[in-house]
Amino acid sequence: MRLADSHCHLNYKGLAEHQADVLQRARDSGVVAMLNISTREREWDDVIAVAEREPDVWATIGVHPHEADQHPDVDTAKLIERAAHPRVVGIGESGLDYYYDHSDREHQRASFRAHIAACRETQLPLVVHTRDAEDDTARILRQEMEQGTYPGVIHCFTASGDFADKALELGFYISISGIVTFKNAKDLQETAARLPRERLLIETDAPFLAPVPHRGKTGEPAFVADTCRFLAQLRGEDADELADATRANFHRLFAKTLA
């Protein structure tokens, strides 16, 4: 298999301490493309530095909804400026998280809209985090799309089938993580089984959410192969073909990776 891990955090504790070994294990497992995601401004330089050093790693710049309260100065202009770097191929992760509510919800919504505006201006994909906030996420994505189109992906998808349909209608891709392999993920499995292959991505969200058979371990990009094999079986597809399709989708969405 030749795979793309569309969402990982190589600079997070658990991976950063032995990043070279993590990258080698990923490559040995067939991973040929990795997107290193930022969640707060102070990470941007380090995340970009990895992408500058490693030809199969790219970067995003953004502010996670948990961090919205701490980043009132990260506006659309700042995002656009940093997104001009040749190794920055997306904006985010941004979105809404009403499960933890680590940041004020109004601040989350304002930050989310600022990220969307930057995507609309640059036409770089928006990487969306949403948890317990389906209605507001769908409403904001739709309202902003009416102001001008922009590409994007719902990362680590765990929402309802109805939300998946709304995202697909807006032209979004949907990324499936190792959660799909969990025994209690029946609803997600039902949705993942019917998603159109041309809109499907696979991710690890490493160091989190290690799939079966690695549950309880630190997640790594190498484990995207396990998720791909499970997802292929779930969908009745060939694993190598699904790997090729999701990798092609990754490069189609994050088109700057082909520059």
Side-chain angles (χ1 to χ4, degrees):
M1 289 190 292
R2 287 169 53 80
L3 298 140
D5 182 355
S6 69
H7 193 113
C8 58
H9 301 277
L10 296 170
N11 294 68
Y12 272 25
K13 182 179 179 181
L15 300 184
E17 303 92 323
H18 48 102
Q19 193 179 87
D21 292 337
V22 168
L23 291 171
Q24 189 56 54
R25 285 193 290 272
R27 292 160 184 154
D28 290 344
S29 295
V31 182
V32 297
M34 290 164 270
L35 187 54
N36 195 18
I37 304 290
S38 65
T39 59
R40 49 183 74 85
E41 187 178 11
R42 69 174 180 268
E43 297 172 355
W44 293 359
D45 288 342
D46 289 342
V47 168
I48 291 171
V50 176
E52 289 176 328
R53 186 175 67 246
E54 306 291 342
D56 52 358
V57 177
W58 289 269
T60 71
I61 51 99
V63 174
H64 193 285
H66 289 342
E67 306 293 331
D69 283 353
Q70 308 303 318
H71 291 78
D73 60 330
V74 175
D75 58 8
T76 298
K78 180 174 285 190
L79 291 164
I80 291 172
E81 179 184 3
R82 292 307 302 270
H85 190 284
R87 300 297 291 176
V88 173
V89 300
I91 293 175
E93 62 184 278
S94 179
L96 305 175
D97 194 309
Y98 294 172
Y99 181 81
Y100 286 108
D101 274 331
H102 287 330
S103 285
D104 174 80
R105 291 186 179 185
E106 190 55 45
H107 292 167
Q108 292 186 47
R109 290 188 285 266
S111 177
F112 192 24
R113 290 185 187 273
H115 283 70
I116 294 172
C119 291
R120 188 162 47 235
E121 176 68 24
T122 63
Q123 285 299 296
L124 293 179
L126 174 70
V127 179
V128 178
H129 170 107
T130 181
R131 188 169 185 188
D132 281 12
E134 284 190 24
D135 290 346
D136 275 5
T137 302
R139 176 178 57 83
I140 289 172
L141 291 175
R142 184 177 60 254
Q143 288 176 346
E144 293 291 335
M145 195 68 74
E146 291 170 355
Q147 304 302 312
T149 60
Y150 55 93
V153 57
I154 309 298
H155 115 85
C156 191
F157 187 87
T158 56
S160 68
D162 180 64
F163 181 82
D165 293 337
K166 291 177 180 177
L168 292 169
E169 287 172 7
L170 292 172
F172 272 65
Y173 288 69
I174 293 178
S175 184
I176 301 297
S177 74
I179 291 176
V180 77
T181 69
F182 298 176
K183 289 182 179 179
N184 63 350
K186 298 303 182 185
D187 289 346
L188 174 59
Q189 290 167 5
E190 289 179 5
T191 300
R194 68 170 178 82
L195 293 172
R197 188 159 76 165
E198 66 272 14
R199 297 282 194 84
L200 189 61
L201 300 179
I202 306 176
E203 67 173 83
T204 59
D205 203 16
F208 311 113
L209 306 176
V212 175
H214 307 286
R215 287 208 68 179
K217 298 179 181 179
T218 299
E220 296 193 9
F223 298 165
V224 75
D226 298 279
T227 301
C228 182
R229 281 189 285 265
F230 180 93
L231 190 58
Q233 184 175 18
L234 180 70
R235 293 168 59 88
E237 298 178 15
D238 179 81
D240 288 327
E241 291 180 0
L242 185 61
D244 287 344
T246 54
R247 188 185 74 253
N249 292 344
F250 171 80
H251 288 299
R252 186 182 308 113
L253 176 61
F254 296 99
K256 203 171 166 181
T257 60
L258 298 173

